[in-house]
Amino acid sequence: MSVLAFPRIYFKGNAEWDPCTFNNNDWQAFQTYDAANAALNWPFLATQKPPITPGNFGDTFRPWAIALQNDNTDSPPGPRVPAEWNMFGSHAVSFGQYQDKTTTITGGAVAYGQPVTADPLIGLPLSVLGDSASGPGRLVDTNPSSFWSSQIYYGALQFGSGQYSISGPRVARMHSRWINLSRLYAATPEMAQPAAAVACCFQACIANSSIAWQNGPAGGAASQLISSLKQAASQPGAQGVMLRFTAYVNLYFKNGIYNGISQQPRNYKELSADLAEVWAAWRKSGDPSQFFSQPCYSHVVGTVGVWNEGELASVPGGRYLAPASSVAPVGSSTTITFGAVAAEVDYAKSVISLDFGSAIPEVAIAGTTASNLVKADFGNLTLGTIGAGSSFTPIADIDYAGYERSAYEASAGIIDIPFPGSETAAQLQNGQLAIQVQGQTIPSTVADVRRPGHATVVVSATGPLLALTEQIYSAQTDSRGIYLDEGESLEFQVSILQTGAPAAGASVLVAKFDNNLSLIPTTLPQFVNFTGGQQQIISPGGILTSVTVVTADQNGIATIGVAAQSPGFPVLGFFPFATGSALPQPPPALFPPGPAFYATVRVLPFDSGSPGQFIDLWNSTHDPAQAWTFVYNNILYIYDMIFSVMLQYINLGSRDAVEKSAGAISALIGKSVAAESTMAMPITRDLSDGKRTVLQLWLYLVNNQYNVPKLSLADLKGQQ
């Protein structure tokens, strides 16, 4: 039952996100980065004034990137800088711990109706840690231009500190789930707050075999929360500890408020001026110490609980309720959709637990993207089931006091409802869960007697609308972010559930969508091809597209195979269904609308010819200068230009500096390191096998003082 079971530990505070934004291409006016090829977008840059070219970019690119420029293409229009809001971002992820802006454990519950409000664990921090439990985690998008592919690479988790803590290494990287683009109600877009209204959920686990439990000094007071969780995690069927948190209402330009950074721009005009100042200092002295990041901050609430067998490590499980209709708060006509909800039913204890962490929006302060975190008031919500004939049978009401801000923050959005009667268990077992909102405007369509064959939409009355309905089948995977190199293929597993339980023998149709989330026709180049299942071409909405259908095993696990075909960012949409029933029809655009079930793929640049070119260059010239020029102009230049924070560690534009760091670079660019390490170079994971091999060949030359008469791939034997 995951964190929806007892015992639970609750926390709240904020998350700090420090990505480099220079490769995001969020704005149509500044398409700086050719993401598919991990290169600067030379055709676009050539249109600037003055033109930025491969011959002059060292002098022209950075000054252009920090210059305040008008953008009348995007909404809202206004002045921006092409480097966007965080030029020096390190991709670090952490729970905030600055002055009064802290993230701490706030309480818990050991059973239904048994909250814990006094405990040695309460008030202690939480940490997302890097490799070997040191440094921060790292935020990396599979597709840097997307909002649907965020991942957190991390090494370990820790809840608490000192003599009261629970800690251990991670099981799988985290991925953004339950993405909600409308978490703020009635927000007005602002260019300085590009994703203020975006919210999502993250989940992570530690296996029992590697958990370290610290529960007080010898002979001292023990934490009831730690004791209860340790006991629950040791029961049969438990495999460890789970963390789940929701990040919402995002804040930008908050230096000096959520951190101690001295540069504190509050808009793009001030940011441009601050960037100009620090770059001028760097050009004068080569000193990068004034470089500054300005992270984004999210409010967070979260829960720590038991991770049980059969549950994915990074995906919220249970019975899954998805948005069904747009609904309006009390006294308003502006509608919004709820976020997803997970539900678990404990039949033994007669309790329904609902994860409302992502469901109800906060209200924006009028005319802004800011919020005082007050929840929108939708009045009484009615939990019930849909049965035969689509009839709705109520179970219980959830009044505003059950989901308003203080209740939400106290229990991380989890709402527990006891069975109201003896018939509830059967109702839950036989029905489809749903949540109604009362007092909604109900449109209806009636025939227009004056125009046969036409219809007129009229407003019939007010009444209840289904805001959320259970999706009987779901399909999820821990392999949310997949990387493929040229010529590479792999298989990954998808868990198919029916009403929250493994769906043995069910099927899933897998369809391919492009980097804009549009269904990929067969007439266009394919980023990946399927390597298994029942492959076929279907025509949803008249679009011919290639899909595969895979049947799950006795544990509800379907195995999907894909092979790289061309560089890019395909998204694989999962459409689960009962084997033998009609094939699902994928939508023309995956999200929104569409399922919450998908995996993102990055097919890396096809650079298999680069190693041969480099070998030929060396063997024909034996010129270290030409070898360096090849490496810089074909590989390192993009990281030198886009990821300026590297200047604080290694000047990638300096041959001497890179040669002196050859050992460190060699250890951090390996493919095995890129797979999961928080210290991988590049942190963005967009180094292809071909370019990695060139770098390794060049590093081999450096390590041998360029005394290599004949270079070959055999010189890299044993390197990964």
Side-chain angles (χ1 to χ4, degrees):
M1 288 182 62
S2 68
V3 296
L4 296 185
F6 295 98
R8 304 178 194 140
I9 298 171
Y10 303 127
F11 64 92
K12 74 181 183 74
N14 62 83
E16 178 181 294
W17 315 99
D18 189 37
C20 175
T21 58
F22 208 170
N23 67 341
N24 286 178
N25 286 2
D26 287 327
W27 297 316
Q28 291 300 312
F30 305 120
Q31 298 295 296
T32 303
Y33 186 54
D34 176 3
N37 295 302
L40 288 181
N41 186 357
W42 296 116
F44 165 75
L45 294 173
T47 67
Q48 303 308 299
K49 296 180 181 179
I52 301 168
T53 70
N56 68 15
F57 72 89
D59 297 320
T60 59
F61 182 66
R62 286 179 180 138
W64 168 83
I66 64 174
L68 194 66
Q69 303 182 40
N70 284 324
D71 176 6
N72 297 316
T73 304
D74 294 285
S75 179
R80 297 168 167 86
V81 296
E84 301 197 29
W85 50 271
N86 199 17
M87 186 177 199
F88 297 110
S90 66
H91 290 268
V93 174
S94 60
F95 288 123
Q97 306 293 346
Y98 179 72
Q99 295 184 353
D100 63 334
K101 305 295 193 298
T102 60
T103 307
T104 60
I105 293 165
T106 56
V110 294
Y112 175 67
Q114 297 182 35
V116 176
T117 57
D119 190 273
L121 197 60
I122 294 175
L124 297 182
L126 300 93
S127 301
V128 178
L129 303 168
D131 292 357
S132 303
S134 65
R138 304 288 178 179
L139 178 71
V140 179
D141 291 344
T142 313
N143 176 353
S145 296
S146 76
F147 59 82
W148 55 84
S149 70
S150 296
Q151 311 166 95
I152 299 176
Y153 288 81
Y154 68 107
L157 299 170
Q158 180 169 309
F159 319 123
S161 61
Q163 295 179 316
Y164 296 95
S165 68
I166 306 159
S167 62
R170 62 122 179 98
V171 172
R173 79 184 84 126
M174 292 184 250
H175 302 272
S176 54
R177 309 281 180 175
W178 293 356
I179 299 168
N180 184 349
L181 305 183
S182 304
R183 179 61 185 255
L184 271 175
Y185 180 73
T188 301
E190 294 180 21
M191 61 183 166
Q193 310 284 343
V198 178
C200 65
C201 172
F202 289 96
Q203 181 173 295
C205 293
I206 312 170
N208 270 331
S209 59
S210 56
I211 298 176
W213 302 91
Q214 299 290 330
N215 199 3
S223 161
Q224 183 184 13
L225 289 173
I226 293 176
S227 297
S228 298
L229 184 60
K230 183 177 182 180
Q231 181 181 12
S234 66
Q235 298 302 306
Q239 56 179 345
V241 168
M242 175 184 291
L243 161 80
R244 186 185 300 171
F245 69 92
T246 302
Y248 61 101
V249 185
N250 307 311
L251 308 170
Y252 297 82
F253 290 87
K254 295 299 180 183
N255 283 1
I257 300 173
Y258 280 78
N259 59 47
I261 296 172
S262 58
Q263 294 93 343
Q264 299 170 9
R266 296 290 178 253
N267 52 52
Y268 281 108
K269 181 178 180 180
E270 294 177 8
L271 175 61
S272 180
D274 286 346
L275 290 174
E277 183 176 335
V278 300
W279 278 113
W282 181 81
R283 285 193 298 271
K284 181 178 180 180
S285 65
D287 179 10
S289 62
Q290 294 187 43
F291 289 177
F292 67 96
S293 66
Q294 56 163 2
C296 166
Y297 293 87
S298 301
H299 295 280
V300 297
V301 295
T303 314
V304 180
V306 176
W307 178 36
N308 289 308
E309 291 178 357
E311 295 177 334
L312 294 175
S314 68
V315 187
R319 297 173 69 167
Y320 175 77
L321 282 71
S325 301
S326 295
V327 290
V330 174
S332 175
S333 60
T334 302
T335 61
I336 197 169
T337 55
F338 285 0
V341 166
E344 293 277 11
V345 181
D346 189 332
Y347 291 100
K349 297 179 180 178
S350 300
V351 175
I352 309 160
S353 297
L354 303 170
D355 187 344
F356 261 56
S358 298
I360 307 296
E362 284 68 30
V363 178
I365 296 171
T368 74
T369 57
S371 174
N372 56 16
L373 304 185
V374 170
K375 289 284 188 179
D377 183 0
F378 294 89
N380 283 359
L381 310 179
T382 303
L383 172 69
T385 57
I386 300 172
S390 299
S391 60
F392 180 84
T393 303
I395 294 175
D397 282 343
I398 305 168
D399 62 16
Y400 181 63
Y403 61 85
E404 54 81 35
R405 177 184 176 180
S406 62
Y408 175 80
E409 292 180 348
S411 63
I414 298 176
I415 299 173
D416 298 306
I417 300 172
F419 288 10
S422 59
E423 74 287 349
T424 305
Q427 180 182 346
L428 289 165
Q429 289 169 339
N430 299 320
Q432 178 184 4
L433 284 171
I435 293 176
Q436 279 187 344
V437 177
Q438 310 301 318
Q440 298 297 298
T441 300
I442 313 294
S444 64
T445 303
V446 299
D448 187 340
V449 296
R450 296 166 300 177
R451 295 187 300 162
H454 292 74
T456 300
V457 175
V458 299
V459 174
S460 59
T462 59
L465 268 181
L466 291 175
L468 295 157
T469 56
E470 181 178 3
Q471 292 196 4
I472 300 302
Y473 285 95
S474 62
Q476 298 280 21
T477 180
D478 279 329
S479 300
R480 187 66 168 271
I482 296 170
Y483 292 82
L484 287 173
D485 254 297
E486 183 177 2
E488 192 172 16
S489 62
L490 58 73
E491 292 183 337
F492 65 98
Q493 294 184 329
V494 175
S495 179
I496 305 177
L497 303 177
Q498 181 180 4
T499 321
S507 294
V508 60
L509 181 144
V510 187
K512 296 182 283 189
F513 296 81
D514 64 17
N515 59 302
N516 294 314
L517 299 180
S518 297
L519 199 62
I520 300 177
T522 56
T523 54
L524 294 181
Q526 305 296 295
F527 299 108
V528 295
N529 281 341
F530 297 116
T531 59
Q534 302 172 22
Q535 299 175 50
Q536 53 193 290
I537 294 174
I538 62 175
S539 182
I543 302 173
L544 288 174
T545 191
S546 172
V547 302
T548 191
V549 176
V550 180
T551 300
D553 63 16
Q554 67 273 16
N555 298 312
I557 304 299
T559 300
I560 315 297
V562 289
Q565 297 300 305
S566 60
F569 304 94
V571 176
L572 305 177
F574 307 143
F575 302 87
F577 63 103
T579 299
S581 61
L583 287 182
Q585 295 298 293
L590 180 64
F591 171 78
F597 316 134
Y598 62 89
T600 63
V601 182
R602 176 157 198 163
V603 182
L604 292 158
F606 282 13
D607 298 312
S608 60
S610 295
Q613 295 170 15
F614 182 76
I615 289 171
D616 289 344
L617 173 68
W618 177 256
N619 289 340
S620 62
T621 67
H622 296 94
D623 184 349
Q626 290 192 53
W628 163 253
T629 299
F630 185 99
V631 167
Y632 182 78
N633 287 345
N634 288 280
I635 304 172
L636 295 182
Y637 88 94
I638 187 64
Y639 307 109
D640 185 26
M641 291 293 107
I642 292 286
F643 302 105
S644 303
V645 69
M646 286 300 299
L647 287 167
Q648 295 179 330
Y649 308 97
I650 304 171
N651 183 348
L652 295 176
S654 164
R655 174 184 163 188
D656 180 63
V658 178
E659 287 180 344
K660 288 177 179 177
S661 300
I665 293 172
S666 181
L668 297 177
I669 64 171
K671 191 165 186 176
S672 61
V673 178
E676 295 296 345
S677 173
T678 57
M679 297 299 293
M681 290 182 61
I683 197 66
T684 46
R685 270 79 179 172
D686 51 12
L687 187 66
S688 66
D689 266 351
K691 288 180 178 176
R692 177 182 293 107
T693 301
V694 171
L695 267 180
Q696 291 171 332
L697 287 166
W698 181 77
L699 291 167
Y700 178 81
L701 294 178
V702 173
N703 291 332
N704 286 277
Q705 292 79 50
Y706 296 101
N707 185 22
V708 180
K710 186 173 179 59
L711 185 64
S712 74
L713 291 175
D715 295 322
L716 301 183
K717 186 177 180 180
Q719 295 195 43
Q720 294 183 341

